[in-house]
Amino acid sequence: MSAEDLEKYETEMELTLYREYRDVVGIFKYVVETDRRFYLCNQVDVKARSESGDVFFEVSMTDAWVWDMYRPARFAKNVKVLTFKDVNVEELAPQEIDPPKD
């Protein structure tokens, strides 16, 4: 496999991942960003922990979707992340456009 083939494959994977994100974002309530991953979830709890003077964050998520093109299954019932870096949590706005009713 050439470098060009690998680059084309990764580009296609990113596009597929973006399309999946676009399709599922409406079913989630929160966006969670850590230093390593991007998540969508319906419930999130962030706790600051301290051990030996170091502070880290414990992030627990329920009903999550993970932005990771190398994971075969991106949906997870429960996710727990421990990180020493920043964690950003944003509540998504409800859909402003209602689908047409029959």
Side-chain angles (χ1 to χ4, degrees):
M1 179 180 269
S2 70
E4 185 178 308
D5 290 338
L6 181 59
E7 187 174 325
K8 183 179 177 185
Y9 172 76
E10 287 183 345
T11 301
E12 288 173 5
M13 290 294 292
E14 280 286 337
L15 183 58
T16 300
L17 184 61
Y18 170 74
R19 287 178 178 149
E20 184 178 324
Y21 163 81
R22 186 187 60 200
D23 291 343
V24 302
V25 69
I27 63 173
F28 293 101
K29 190 171 180 180
Y30 297 98
V31 172
V32 179
E33 288 181 271
T34 69
D35 61 317
R36 300 197 57 182
R37 296 279 189 276
F38 175 89
Y39 301 88
L40 299 171
C41 64
N42 284 319
Q43 190 173 31
V44 61
D45 182 42
V46 179
K47 293 183 177 154
R49 305 277 192 204
S50 180
E51 188 172 304
S52 304
D54 293 326
V55 176
F56 63 95
F57 298 99
E58 180 181 333
V59 184
S60 300
M61 293 170 269
T62 304
D63 298 327
W65 181 89
V66 184
W67 180 288
D68 185 345
M69 69 181 187
Y70 299 108
R71 286 178 63 113
R74 287 183 270 280
F75 288 95
K77 183 158 180 63
N78 295 298
V79 176
K80 186 174 282 195
V81 176
L82 302 176
T83 182
F84 288 94
K85 309 265 179 151
D86 290 342
V87 175
N88 297 311
V89 177
E90 180 181 337
E91 187 171 359
L92 294 169
Q95 295 284 345
E96 293 183 13
I97 301 173
D98 291 328
K101 295 180 173 59
D102 292 339

